[in-house]
Amino acid sequence: VKRASTAEKVELKPIGLVETRATRDEVRNRSTTSRLILREDFTEALQGIDDFSHLFVVFWMHEVSSRERKTVKVHPRGRADMPLTGVFATRTQLRPNPIGLTLVELLDVKDHVLTVRGLDAFDGTPILDIKPFDPSDTAREVRVPEWWTRLERERSKKHQGSKYTPIVRGTA
Amino acid sequence: VKRASTAEKVELKPIGLVETRATRDEVRNRSTTSRLILREDFTEALQGIDDFSHLFVVFWMHEVSSRERKTVKVHPRGRADMPLTGVFATRTQLRPNPIGLTLVELLDVKDHVLTVRGLDAFDGTPILDIKPFDPSDTAREVRVPEWWTRLERERSKKHQGSKYTPIVRGTA
């Protein structure tokens, strides 16, 4: 096994682009549907994906600037009332490698196009990878910070009575 | 919002390297512990991470060759008795962008070093990102293919009586 060096650069090529009508805050609504338009030559690489109900979409947050990539700490959701937290302890897009990771529900597959629900990526976002979700991606006893629980409680309240589906609380 | 093009290359720089004594098949044992040695200047970017019990480690499978990245279909786990499946419908390392994604348990944090359990990455693997796991990364009603269930059943049987912890089956 060859050890790598942190100085070596990693080069990726997008496998497709996100297509969605949702703009700004709308993409954060978990009932949003999007289409993943892959390169046509990946049609066969999707064979059997419809046997999975959920996928991880790995995407590239291409609008994060090199300056923003140097961010070390943030207030979660940009809120001053949340504790200053290291970027690796949050899901902020302001991180050294702005890779997005979102669990989505697979609604439809047709040729090289996937329709999914729950992707919080903007129209035109490059897709880096798609991985099927399986039960080993789940943790049993999950512990999260107090600020996370507080934000989630506000979110559920805001979306009460709408079509929004509150997320599963796991066993936390 | 600027639309990207699939022709644009994405450039990443590792944030650290995996350190583990496990070799070959041992890395696939979910009780394996590893250390994530981040770059020293990322110490502050970890602030608050110990409030999470679980993390996603996003890593770069640097030993996959450019030829292997062109793989379209595989037999899961290389087994001829499993159906030929598109790479995006499996977790094979043979994929266009060989990004690894594994949920791990966070055991310890000290300065720029994290100790984790359950990472299936070799010693010297470049780490691209670390994301805290929260309940929105979990799906409620999960459907997986028959081949996945068959492989997992074999795995549980093999590890019976060992220290191996069978994975959570979610609500599948």
Side-chain angles (χ1 to χ4, degrees), chain B residues 11 25 53 60 73 85 90 98 107 142 147 154 156 166 170 172:
Chain B
E11 215 175 72
D25 280 358
S53 57
W60 179 243
K73 293 182 193 179
T85 306
T90 78
L107 303 178
V142 178
W147 61 257
E154 288 181 20
S156 302

Side-chain angles (χ1 to χ4, degrees), chain A residues 5-69:
Chain A
S5 146
T6 52
E8 274 176 54
K9 281 193 182 144
V10 170
E11 216 175 73
L12 306 175
K13 225 181 119 186
I15 59 167
L17 297 178
V18 173
E19 190 185 85
T20 177
R21 287 191 197 139
T23 55
R24 294 162 181 271
D25 281 358
E26 289 167 21
V27 300
R28 314 223 35 227
N29 187 320
R30 294 193 185 103
S31 62
T32 293
T33 61
S34 317
R35 298 206 308 162
L36 311 180
I37 319 282
L38 299 198
R39 278 170 34 200
E40 278 186 45
D41 50 324
F42 286 136
T43 303
E44 281 198 88
L46 293 173
Q47 188 179 306
I49 203 166
D50 50 340
D51 284 335
F52 287 93
S53 57
H54 293 77
L55 309 172
F56 281 118
V57 181
V58 181
F59 53 99
W60 179 243
M61 298 184 283
H62 64 297
E63 295 196 275
V64 178
S65 69
S66 15
R67 198 175 54 83
E68 287 172 319
R69 288 172 69 167

Side-chain angles (χ1 to χ4, degrees), chain A residues 2 47 62 73 99, chain B residues 2 47 62 73 99 131:
Chain A
K2 183 190 121 226
Q47 188 179 306
H62 64 297
K73 294 183 194 178
I99 295 172
Chain B
K2 184 189 121 229
Q47 189 179 307
H62 64 297
K73 293 182 193 179
I99 296 173
K131 295 182 186 293

